[in-house]
Amino acid sequence: MRLDPHPVTGEPFPSPVPPGTGWPGDPATPRTRAARSAAGVRRLAAGAHGIPELDARVSVCRACPRLVAWRERVAGERRAAFADQPYWGRPAPSFGPAGAPVLVVGLAPAAHGANRTGRMFTGDRSGDWIYAALHRAGFASQAGSAHAGDGLELSGVRIVAAVHCAPPDNAPTTEEKASCRPWLERELVLAAPGLRSVLALGGIGWDAALAAARSVGWEVPRPRPRFGHGAEAVLRTGEGRDVRLVGSYHVSQQNTFTGRLTEAMLDEVVGRL
């Protein structure tokens, strides 16, 4: 079995990385229960008693065969620029402290970003943008993030996702999004007591947040709020607390390179959280 050193710790790992073998930030152990179907996701998500258990179960999920095959294929083949690095090759768990008053809902891990590093928005250009913005707003301890274990810490914000596995062509299917949704639903339930706002990155993040909120019994405005950069909607939890949903264009290279999303635009919506 081929082993390569982690870029920060130097410890050797195979690709994909087995749970509980020492990868920085790995929430799982070899005994963590893994979902192998959509029904398994629903059961294990609902049964997670807290964020550590939820993150661990997300990180070993094998419910979507196409996504499992793709993430592990990428981990085996690797990009030339990262050929000497081990790839995480598992679902990327959410990142940030339990009980954070702000959630950021992304789309899915990048094949050579979080699928490589094992941490949301870490190791790619999208992460450069979102972590720089969070740092400017006081939510992140540093402005950039290249690898898990590099010292980045979040305060007051937690990054979650519509889909936790890297999808081919960055396009999860409708079925895959539905299968993964219970993880996000459980995030909302656990976050609800102290949650004040949700930042949805892109239309898929917006749709996922609305669908998850409705599924867990929150009040969602009708007609259904439309996504747009700077769009806002007020959701109401089952306990009657208002949570603001704020939309932003996704921090994809397509949006940032073309100027559709600028730093000033991103800072403005992050400043509302």
Side-chain angles (χ1 to χ4, degrees), residues 187-203:
E187 289 276 4
L188 293 185
V189 170
L190 293 174
L195 188 63
R196 71 168 183 258
S197 55
V198 176
L199 176 63
L201 298 178

Side-chain angles (χ1 to χ4, degrees), residues 104-107 121 130 199-206 248-251 266:
V104 175
V105 183
L107 169 54
F121 283 115
I130 191 62
L199 176 63
L201 298 178
I204 291 179
W206 179 269
S248 171
Y249 291 143
H250 197 278
V251 287
L266 185 57

Side-chain angles (χ1 to χ4, degrees), residues 81-118:
F82 310 120
D84 60 345
Q85 298 181 18
Y87 269 53
W88 171 256
R90 287 163 43 198
S94 300
F95 175 50
V102 176
L103 295 181
V104 175
V105 183
L107 169 54
H112 303 282
N115 187 58
R116 172 173 59 89
T117 65

